Amino acid sequence: MSELKNKKILLVITGGIAAYKSLELIRLLKKKGSLVKTILSKNAHKFVTPLSVSSLSQEKVYSDLFDPTSEAEMDHISLSRWADIILIAPATANTLSKISNANADDLASTVLLAADKEFFIAPAMNVRMWENKSNKNNVSILKNMGHEFIGPDIGDMACGEYGEGKMTEPPEILKHLEAKFKELKNNNGLKALVTAGPTKEFIDPVRYITNKSSGKQGYEIANLLKRSGFNTTLISGPTQLDSIKGVNTININSAKEMFDAVIENLPVDVAIFSAAVADFKVKDISETKIKNKENYNLSLEKNIDILKHVSNHNSLRPKLVIGFSAETNDIIENSQKKINEKNCDWLIANDVSNQEIGFDSDFNEVSILYKNGEIEKISKDKKSVIANKIVKKIVSNLE
Ligand code: CTP
């Protein structure tokens, strides 16, 4: 049975030449047993007719924000609540601009602005429009908001040019949606825990020891685990990052607080320790601000190693334990020692000496070391892309 059977799909069709493909998309979705409601944007009417859309979907087509009968039947808030998923196909550059900038001037954009779930977006536009810097910024905003892009594909365009910007063919879009539903079903009930960011070890009420970790890589991983259907807990040191909708986030300062939060949130199926935990804490934290003087000796003591503790726990050890390894030199050699010392299943090693990757950058380049000695390199890419690859590996490992 198809994963799409009885799924409620809200299809938003916007005004591009590729809108004709959305008719085929509706036909295929109906064949799989999906329930399809459609919204036509103002401009979509110039490419497909409400009659052809409603004939195929066997449902009324919604398009007018101020239509009293539609609003009485199913208003713009209920439409998005009704849906299991919201698919925008085709999504024009204008639509991407509107939804990334909260501009609502017709029913389609109003429903999307009021939606309580992430969208699947199948863009379609001329290659230059796709590559335009403003459009790229909009795409990046939407990706950061957790929306998922399907395509666009590369090929000949209706305008005669060639390049990236074609709407993905309907059978491919269907495959993507089916895979997503399958993943959500398989991972339903699985729990994940992620640590991220730096820790702060206080010296006195106003001073502390910390490090340059931004938390970006861990947040990306937590976000993708949640989107893959995991019940996800993120234990975060102090960062500048926005909290992630749907991820249970616990904010902590010190390594000790991180340790306590981790233990409280076990057991889980997979734990990813991406936090840059301070190895040492201050022995006697001063209750008052330390006064300026000639000399001051800071006395430090070791923090508990959270990853090592969890990896070696008899009853609470997750099925899959993943550590990170921040190194400035002899990255693989040092990480090989670390994976054995820490007894984790995988260790993701990254070079934190390079300003362009690692700490505080949007990019990363990592090597995954496995317990059996294998090493797999993931070349330089955005942290979101690296996270995607790591989460895919986690999902297939747990399968
Ligand atoms: N880690 C931890 N608790 C600590 C120290 C580290 O859980 N007290 C975890 C990190 O989250 C990471 C892994 O251990 O997953 C390796 O951390 P890293 O800082 O790279 O190495 P260290 O063990 O601190 O060793 P070193 O600083 O000597 O490289």
Side-chain angles (χ1 to χ4, degrees):
M1 192 178 72
S2 167
E3 297 293 336
L4 287 164
K5 192 165 167 57
N6 295 329
K7 291 291 179 328
K8 296 184 204 130
I9 318 278
L10 178 63
L11 174 64
V12 179
I13 305 172
T14 70
I17 185 75
Y20 76 91
K21 289 190 190 173
S22 55
L23 298 178
E24 173 70 352
L25 193 55
I26 299 170
R27 195 184 67 77
L28 293 175
L29 285 166
K30 293 296 293 180
K31 217 170 136 193
K32 295 276 184 185
S34 303
L35 304 160
V36 186
K37 287 191 194 291
T38 48
I39 302 178
L40 291 191
S41 74
K42 255 191 313 202
N43 290 336
H45 286 86
K46 296 180 182 134
F47 297 92
V48 286
T49 67
L51 184 60
S52 49
V53 173
S54 69
S55 307
L56 285 164
S57 66
Q58 294 149 13
E59 289 267 359
K60 174 187 166 119
V61 176
Y62 297 84
S63 53
D64 184 359
L65 183 55
F66 302 109
D67 173 3
T69 52
S70 294
E71 276 290 297
E73 201 178 289
M74 183 159 282
D75 62 56
H76 61 279
I77 306 286
S78 321
L79 258 174
S80 69
R81 303 296 182 272
W82 166 86
D84 291 316
I85 63 161
I86 298 175
L87 170 63
I88 315 171
T92 60
N94 186 36
T95 306
L96 300 187
S97 169
K98 286 205 279 188
I99 57 180
S100 54
N101 291 290
N103 178 353
D105 66 349
D106 66 354
L107 181 70
S109 44
T110 306
V111 167
L112 294 173
L113 189 60
D116 61 345
K117 42 187 75 80
E118 283 99 32
F119 318 139
F120 290 87
I121 303 173
M125 65 195 75
N126 167 272
V127 55
R128 302 275 164 256
M129 289 167 89
W130 176 250
E131 285 169 357
N132 178 281
K133 204 155 183 258
S134 305
N135 184 62
K136 284 278 177 224
N137 286 341
N138 293 336
V139 170
S140 157
I141 291 171
L142 292 169
K143 283 188 177 164
N144 287 341
M145 285 163 74
H147 301 303
E148 194 163 322
F149 279 74
I150 308 174
D153 291 353
I154 297 173
D156 290 318
M157 320 212 125
C159 57
E161 290 191 28
Y162 177 89
E164 193 174 13
K166 272 172 78 76
M167 180 172 132
T168 300
E169 293 302 324
E172 281 306 308
I173 294 181
L174 244 69
K175 266 194 213 158
H176 190 100
L177 298 180
E178 281 187 305
K180 190 75 199 178
F181 278 120
K182 187 161 176 239
E183 186 179 77
L184 290 175
K185 195 170 79 185
N186 286 349
N187 296 337
N188 184 24
L190 290 183
K191 283 178 146 189
L193 181 142
V194 181
T195 69
T199 61
K200 261 184 191 174
E201 304 300 330
F202 276 91
I203 300 169
D204 69 11
V206 292
R207 302 182 180 98
Y208 49 78
I209 302 169
T210 190
N211 59 63
K212 276 172 62 182
S213 168
S214 64
K216 284 177 191 163
Q217 189 65 79
Y219 271 60
E220 292 286 1
I221 292 173
N223 189 13
L224 286 166
L225 284 167
K226 184 233 22 179
R227 279 175 46 198
S228 301
F230 286 79
N231 179 343
T232 307
T233 298
L234 172 66
I235 299 168
S236 173
T239 74
Q240 302 294 318
L241 304 172
D242 292 335
S243 61
I244 311 165
K245 211 170 102 193
V247 171
N248 169 32
T249 304
I250 300 164
N251 293 304
I252 53 85
N253 275 314
S254 67
K256 170 75 173 75
E257 287 165 4
M258 183 171 272
F259 174 76
D260 291 342
V262 166
I263 298 299
E264 226 167 82
N265 284 280
L266 293 176
V268 294
D269 298 279
V270 54
I272 300 107
F273 294 88
S274 74
V277 186
D279 292 332
F280 296 96
K281 62 181 174 195
V282 177
K283 212 166 180 182
D284 297 301
I285 303 173
S286 172
E287 280 177 20
T288 52
K289 188 180 166 218
I290 299 165
K291 299 311 284 176
N292 193 356
K293 48 189 151 185
E294 275 312 305
N295 266 312
Y296 188 78
N297 287 325
L298 207 52
S299 184
L300 300 175
E301 64 186 349
K302 222 155 144 55
N303 263 325
I304 185 157
D305 190 317
I306 309 167
L307 167 61
K308 200 168 171 180
H309 181 90
V310 173
S311 273
N312 289 303
H313 204 286
N314 283 338
S315 54
L316 290 176
R317 189 191 202 277
K319 265 182 262 170
L320 184 59
V321 179
I322 304 172
F324 268 70
S325 172
E327 295 288 346
T328 54
N329 55 289
D330 305 317
I331 297 160
I332 298 296
E333 204 185 328
N334 287 340
S335 300
Q336 260 155 349
K337 277 186 219 145
K338 227 179 254 179
I339 191 171
N340 295 327
E341 275 166 27
K342 308 240 179 190
N343 189 31
C344 52
D345 301 301
W346 308 353
L347 190 71
I348 302 177
N350 60 338
D351 179 355
V352 290
S353 67
N354 183 339
Q355 294 294 313
E356 299 199 345
I357 53 169
F359 278 2
D360 211 19
S361 159
D362 285 339
F363 289 84
N364 211 350
E365 182 179 275
V366 303
S367 295
I368 307 182
L369 281 73
Y370 297 97
K371 224 177 187 169
N372 64 6
E374 277 175 30
I375 300 176
E376 191 177 354
K377 192 171 171 184
I378 304 183
S379 43
K380 183 180 167 185
D381 220 320
K382 290 196 90 170
K383 284 187 172 168
S384 54
V385 177
I386 303 265
N388 197 12
K389 292 185 176 163
I390 294 171
V391 169
K392 281 214 162 85
K393 285 179 198 300
I394 293 173
V395 168
S396 60
N397 179 282
L398 291 178
E399 264 172 14

